Amino acid sequence: MAAGVPDERAPQPVDPKAAEEFLRQVYAETKPEVPLRERLRQVLGEIDRRGVYTHTAHELAFGARVAWRNSARCIGRLYWQSLQVRDLRHLSDPADVAQESIGHLRAATRGGRIRSTITVFAPDAPGRPAPRIRNDQLVRYAGHRNPDGTVVGDPTQVDFTDRVVEMGWPRPQPLGRFDVLPLLITGTDGRSRLFDVPPDAVHEVPLRHPEHPWFARLGLRWHAVPAISNMPLEIGGVVYPAAPFNGWYLDTEIGARNLADPDRYDLLPEIAKRLGLDTRSVRTMWKDRAMVELVRAVTYSFDADGVTMADHHTESERFLRHLEKEEAAGRRCPADWSWIVPPMSGSQTPVFHRYYDEPDPDLRPAFLEPHRI
């Protein structure tokens, strides 16, 4: 393990202070049936006996929603109270985790009417690590490295793709730019296994442009549900390493980042060429013009197929509404400016023109940084 990184194979007992702080927050913001004093006695006694405690369904749902509320990099937090919580803490076997992760995709997709959803699997306990999903999202496209160093697919997934191939995953033939990777899940025994994601669980949108017929012939597509799957959820000192969660896509996430970044699909040169733009100098603004048309195509395609997608202008206004609500409730609203401001037309959105409370790495409940593996 790298220096300073906790050994995920040896989870530590829950800190009673973290549990008490969380419970006081639950009772300050909601009205549980059991009195706080009695609940504290139950929880602290359980920690003393087992090193961990069991959240009630109410505490779990509240904690998961507040973890979203605390996510400094998310612009869509206005909807935090509507998060659907799938409580599957009784599951720890990798096959069950895989099956219900696929169930998560189906439950969240709803034919395109995307619902913000989290699925919570078994928590860590002293001496017993819980299962972990190694994919950074439940749906990712493979990156296939060619002998000449070029990549077919998503370059950021090359190392992960190589790893699952070494474990026995057969690369599709012919290699495609949008081959869905299998799930890689580590069980409580430390062994990792692969599970295919069935095609009918992955809702994909073929991309086309409202004005340029040639765009559809590029054969581009993107999946509908951005389900983050390798960020542990910590609530009141209890860590749930496998807790995949999703909102819905922002138009610029796909059009201005996933498909446009030079270290991702790097499509701007191709789009510019098809548009007949002068790419000999960046001063012609060819990158900017190509990006706008790429984002337009993404938004048009999702809208045409009836798949939920936010646009960066509307979502920026909604984030400021969320900020006002949090301030009215007497709460801080930490935000990472570089993530909140859209990667396109930033100054044309209201979130650009102000500063925010600095992110607090100690704020809990929270989604934690992924374990290093």
Side-chain angles (χ1 to χ4, degrees), residues 156-179:
T156 63
Q157 298 298 314
V158 165
D159 290 342
F160 187 86
T161 303
D162 287 346
R163 179 177 179 184
V164 297
V165 167
E166 290 174 0
M167 293 181 63
W169 184 63
R171 292 185 192 270
Q173 296 297 330
L175 302 179
R177 288 186 294 174
F178 303 100
D179 297 329

Side-chain angles (χ1 to χ4, degrees), residues 34-254:
V34 177
L36 174 59
R37 179 176 297 182
E38 181 179 344
R39 182 61 181 142
L40 279 172
R41 180 183 58 79
Q42 293 172 351
V43 166
L44 296 179
E46 194 173 355
I47 293 173
D48 187 54
R49 294 190 306 273
R50 301 174 49 231
V52 69
Y53 67 102
T54 302
H55 289 124
T56 65
H58 174 75
E59 290 164 359
L60 181 73
F62 174 80
R65 290 166 181 155
V66 172
W68 185 9
R69 188 177 81 191
N70 289 339
S71 297
R73 292 179 171 181
C74 180
I75 195 174
R77 285 178 274 167
L78 177 63
Y79 319 102
W80 66 273
Q81 295 181 77
S82 66
L83 180 66
Q84 298 294 306
V85 180
R86 301 176 74 232
D87 183 356
L88 297 177
R89 289 176 286 171
H90 61 288
L91 298 181
S92 60
D93 183 81
D96 293 332
V97 172
Q99 180 178 357
E100 287 301 336
S101 293
I102 293 163
H104 175 113
L105 290 173
R106 293 194 169 108
T109 302
R110 300 195 307 162
R113 295 176 297 115
I114 310 302
R115 172 181 285 171
S116 298
T117 303
I118 185 169
T119 299
V120 184
F121 295 106
D124 276 339
R128 183 177 173 79
R132 282 153 171 79
I133 303 171
R134 301 303 185 179
N135 309 61
D136 57 5
Q137 291 193 22
L138 293 181
V139 179
R140 276 298 200 197
Y141 295 124
H144 306 290
R145 197 193 320 263
N146 293 318
D148 63 0
T150 59
V151 173
V152 176
D154 189 344
T156 63
Q157 298 298 314
V158 165
D159 290 342
F160 187 86
T161 303
D162 287 346
R163 179 177 179 184
V164 297
V165 167
E166 290 174 0
M167 293 181 63
W169 184 63
R171 292 185 192 270
Q173 296 297 330
L175 302 179
R177 288 186 294 174
F178 303 100
D179 297 329
V180 175
L181 286 161
L183 297 176
L184 175 55
I185 299 175
T186 303
T188 57
D189 58 0
R191 296 177 56 195
S192 296
R193 297 168 58 188
L194 297 178
F195 301 89
D196 286 330
V197 179
D200 65 353
V202 182
H203 190 120
E204 293 180 293
V205 177
L207 303 184
R208 57 270 197 203
H209 193 281
E211 296 159 11
H212 302 298
W214 53 260
F215 198 100
R217 294 193 290 272
L218 296 176
L220 305 176
R221 62 180 185 267
W222 205 259
H223 59 95
V225 180
I228 308 298
S229 51
N230 68 343
M231 297 181 71
L233 169 65
E234 182 178 337
I235 301 173
V238 179
V239 175
Y240 301 92
F245 63 95
N246 71 276
W248 47 79
Y249 269 117
L250 193 65
D251 55 358
T252 51
E253 284 184 80
I254 300 172

Side-chain angles (χ1 to χ4, degrees), residues 204-335:
E204 293 180 293
V205 177
L207 303 184
R208 57 270 197 203
H209 193 281
E211 296 159 11
H212 302 298
W214 53 260
F215 198 100
R217 294 193 290 272
L218 296 176
L220 305 176
R221 62 180 185 267
W222 205 259
H223 59 95
V225 180
I228 308 298
S229 51
N230 68 343
M231 297 181 71
L233 169 65
E234 182 178 337
I235 301 173
V238 179
V239 175
Y240 301 92
F245 63 95
N246 71 276
W248 47 79
Y249 269 117
L250 193 65
D251 55 358
T252 51
E253 284 184 80
I254 300 172
R257 297 300 310 276
N258 297 344
L259 294 176
D261 281 358
D263 64 346
R264 298 294 298 281
Y265 280 79
D266 194 24
L267 286 172
L268 296 187
E270 174 68 14
I271 302 298
K273 177 182 176 182
R274 299 275 186 161
L275 290 169
L277 303 180
D278 181 357
T279 61
R280 291 175 295 179
S281 169
V282 293
R283 295 175 68 86
T284 67
M285 304 298 168
W286 68 267
K287 290 185 179 182
D288 310 73
R289 295 169 67 187
M291 181 179 291
V292 167
E293 298 308 321
L294 183 51
V295 173
R296 283 188 69 203
V298 169
T299 307
Y300 170 79
S301 302
F302 271 66
D303 286 351
D305 282 11
V307 176
T308 305
M309 168 171 279
D311 70 85
H312 52 296
H313 294 287
T314 302
E315 209 59 46
S316 295
E317 295 172 356
R318 289 173 177 169
F319 180 73
L320 294 189
R321 283 169 48 199
H322 168 69
L323 195 66
E324 292 171 357
K325 287 187 173 184
E326 289 302 288
E327 290 173 348
R331 295 190 289 262
R332 296 175 68 253
C333 183

